[in-house]
């Protein structure tokens, strides 16, 4: 590798969807609205899970991690995307690109592991309800969450470093709306076989294996639910898993399309649209799915809102007395 080749690129130009300038304003408004919903929805879930003591369980601890992850993930990609949609100069520095890539890839990898951990939690809760407090003790579920973050961050660091040390040879136009690793690898003018190998291994370890574990968990969960005698009991058991299963389908569906599809089917436009779904729509839907399909979250929301309303009323009542 020649140092001159590597140092020639100091910034990248993100030209994704530039062929369709008429829809960029629409995308700007949609992404802005969805980003606000992501921030409000996920922040509300985190606050409620902290304030309501009934939600101090492994399931809601993992859900809080997922909400925090979605806030960080979208905050690393959506604001720069909005700037690119509106600005005439669609550029990002090489450091900014590497930072965006390491954050998005790290958090995406963490979510893969975290969703598998959440499936195991639901498996223990339904298949071994009497032993659930013993098995899913605080030490275990905190360690499981910590390892999810550690594995995701390590994978991201390795793949980002392996990509950024290669020469780009002056080619700095990324045909994508974010600094996505697959789009960046197309600009490298040296052998990327090691990068492809590492990405393939990471895809198997972080996509295929967790998805297989989730599938096995839900086979046992479904078997246990069908053995429940009462219809009300089956409905309650299934409702605790339906939200997680919906999130898994949305997340893994887009992730598998992005990273596991045959190369002969690569199309830039479809990659960019799926990238928007993977990076914006799924984080927006997560809090909506968990709040709408979860009775405990709904009750906790009502409790927190009623508490704040009563506090506001008491403050208003005290104002005339103080004055």
């Amino acid at each position: 590798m020649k140092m001159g080749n590597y140092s020639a690129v100091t910034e990248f130009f993100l030209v994704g969807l530039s062929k369709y300038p008429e829809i960029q304003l629409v995308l700007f408004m949609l992404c802005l609205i969805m980003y606000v919903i992501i921030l409000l929805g996920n922040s509300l879930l985190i606050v409620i899970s902290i304030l309501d003591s009934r939600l101090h369980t492994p399931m809601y601890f993992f859900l809080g991690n997922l909400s925090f992850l979605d806030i960080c993930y979208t905050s690393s990609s959506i604001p720069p995307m909005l700037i690119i949609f509106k600005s005439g100069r669609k550029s990002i520095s090489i450091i900014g690109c590497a930072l965006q890539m390491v954050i998005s890839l790290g958090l995406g990898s963490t979510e893969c592991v975290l969703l598998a951990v959440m499936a195991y939690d639901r498996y223990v809760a339904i298949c071994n309800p009497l032993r659930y407090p013993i098995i899913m003790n605080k030490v275990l579920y905190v360690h499981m969450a910590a390892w999810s973050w550690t594995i995701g961050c390590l994978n991201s660091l390795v793949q980002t470093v392996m990509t950024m040390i290669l020469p780009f040879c002056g080619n700095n136009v990324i045909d994508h709306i974010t600094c996505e690793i697959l789009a960046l690898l197309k600009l490298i003018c040296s052998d990327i076989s090691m990068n492809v190998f590492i990405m393939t291994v990471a895809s198997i370890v972080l996509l295929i294996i967790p998805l297989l574990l989730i599938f096995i968990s839900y086979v046992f969960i479904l078997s246990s639910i069908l053995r429940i005698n009462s219809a009300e009991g089956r409905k309650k058991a299934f409702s605790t898993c339906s939200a997680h299963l919906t999130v898994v389908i949305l997340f893994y569906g887009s992730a598998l399309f992005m990273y596991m599809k045959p190369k002969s089917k690569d199309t830039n436009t479809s990659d960019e649209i799926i990238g928007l779904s993977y990076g914006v729509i799924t984080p927006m839907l997560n809090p909506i799915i968990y709040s709408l399909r979860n009775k405990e979250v709904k009750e906790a929301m009502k409790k927190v809102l009623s508490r704040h309303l009563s506090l506001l009323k008491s403050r208003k009542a005290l104002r005339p007395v103080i004055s």
Side-chain angles (χ1 to χ4, degrees):
M1 184 196 309
K2 293 182 180 180
M3 195 63 188
N5 288 339
Y6 174 70
S7 59
V9 175
T10 58
E11 63 179 358
F12 292 102
F13 293 91
L14 299 166
V15 297
L17 297 176
S18 58
K19 298 176 183 177
Y20 312 98
E22 64 279 359
I23 68 169
Q24 289 199 6
L25 180 59
V26 177
L27 287 175
F28 174 85
M29 295 304 300
L30 286 175
C31 289
L32 180 60
I33 293 169
M34 287 190 286
Y35 182 53
V36 172
I37 295 172
I38 289 166
L39 294 180
L40 293 176
N42 286 288
S43 298
L44 184 60
L45 270 180
I46 293 171
V47 170
I48 287 172
S49 64
I50 293 172
L51 293 180
D52 196 315
S53 59
R54 294 175 301 175
L55 303 184
H56 292 175
T57 63
M59 175 182 172
Y60 293 103
F61 175 76
F62 294 135
L63 182 55
N65 274 262
L66 183 63
S67 295
F68 178 71
L69 184 152
D70 284 339
I71 290 172
C72 296
Y73 181 87
T74 52
S75 296
S76 70
S77 59
I78 296 181
M81 190 191 305
L82 295 176
I83 293 170
I84 286 170
F85 280 151
K86 291 296 291 181
S87 66
R89 184 175 173 80
K90 304 178 185 299
S91 64
I92 184 171
S93 68
I94 191 169
I95 296 174
C97 186
L99 188 62
Q100 186 182 96
M101 187 164 61
V102 76
I103 293 173
S104 61
L105 186 59
L107 295 176
S109 302
T110 301
E111 187 162 353
C112 291
V113 183
L114 194 59
L115 288 173
V117 167
M118 293 172 74
Y120 175 74
D121 172 70
R122 292 299 84 207
Y123 159 74
V124 177
I126 292 174
C127 299
N128 296 283
L130 298 178
R131 298 184 60 205
Y132 179 73
I134 299 171
I135 297 174
M136 292 301 295
N137 58 75
K138 188 173 183 179
V139 174
L140 178 63
Y141 69 73
V142 169
H143 274 80
M144 291 172 80
W147 274 109
S148 299
W149 286 91
T150 302
I151 292 169
C153 291
L154 286 175
N155 171 60
S156 174
L157 283 171
V158 169
Q159 292 207 51
T160 302
V161 170
M162 290 291 293
T163 300
M164 301 309 291
I165 61 174
L166 295 176
F168 295 99
C169 303
N171 190 1
N172 62 346
V173 178
I174 301 175
D175 196 2
H176 209 274
I177 50 179
T178 60
C179 283
E180 210 279 327
I181 189 168
L182 291 175
L184 209 62
L185 285 174
K186 295 176 183 177
L187 307 184
I188 294 170
C189 58
S190 65
D191 183 27
I192 60 169
S193 57
M194 182 57 69
N195 300 72
V196 173
F197 174 75
I198 292 173
M199 184 176 292
T200 303
V201 172
S203 296
I204 293 170
V205 173
L206 297 173
L207 281 175
I208 303 302
I209 293 178
L211 188 58
L212 182 62
L213 293 175
I214 291 170
F215 175 77
I216 294 171
S217 297
Y218 274 99
V219 168
F220 285 107
I221 288 169
L222 184 60
S223 176
S224 296
I225 290 174
L226 292 176
R227 287 199 299 267
I228 298 174
N229 294 325
S230 66
E232 184 64 28
R234 288 195 297 269
K235 183 180 178 182
K236 184 178 179 181
F238 185 74
S239 67
T240 64
C241 302
S242 57
H244 175 258
L245 194 57
T246 305
V247 170
V248 166
I249 292 169
L250 287 170
F251 177 81
Y252 276 97
S254 55
L256 287 170
F257 183 91
M258 284 284 291
Y259 294 102
M260 298 298 290
K261 69 181 187 300
K263 295 297 178 184
S264 59
K265 295 184 179 180
D266 277 353
T267 55
N268 290 326
T269 303
S270 65
D271 284 352
E272 290 156 17
I273 298 300
I274 293 297
L276 278 175
S277 170
Y278 178 76
V280 181
I281 298 174
T282 304
M284 180 191 70
L285 292 178
N286 284 353
I288 297 173
I289 291 167
Y290 276 106
S291 60
L292 290 179
R293 300 185 65 86
N294 195 303
K295 187 179 178 181
E296 291 177 332
V297 173
K298 288 186 204 175
E299 290 176 354
M301 283 183 179
K302 290 177 183 178
K303 183 179 176 181
V304 171
L305 288 173
S306 62
R307 186 186 301 171
H308 281 280
L309 286 173
S310 61
L311 284 173
L312 288 172
K313 288 179 181 178
S314 62
R315 286 177 183 175
K316 287 181 180 179
L318 286 172
R319 281 176 186 172
V321 177
I322 295 171
S323 59

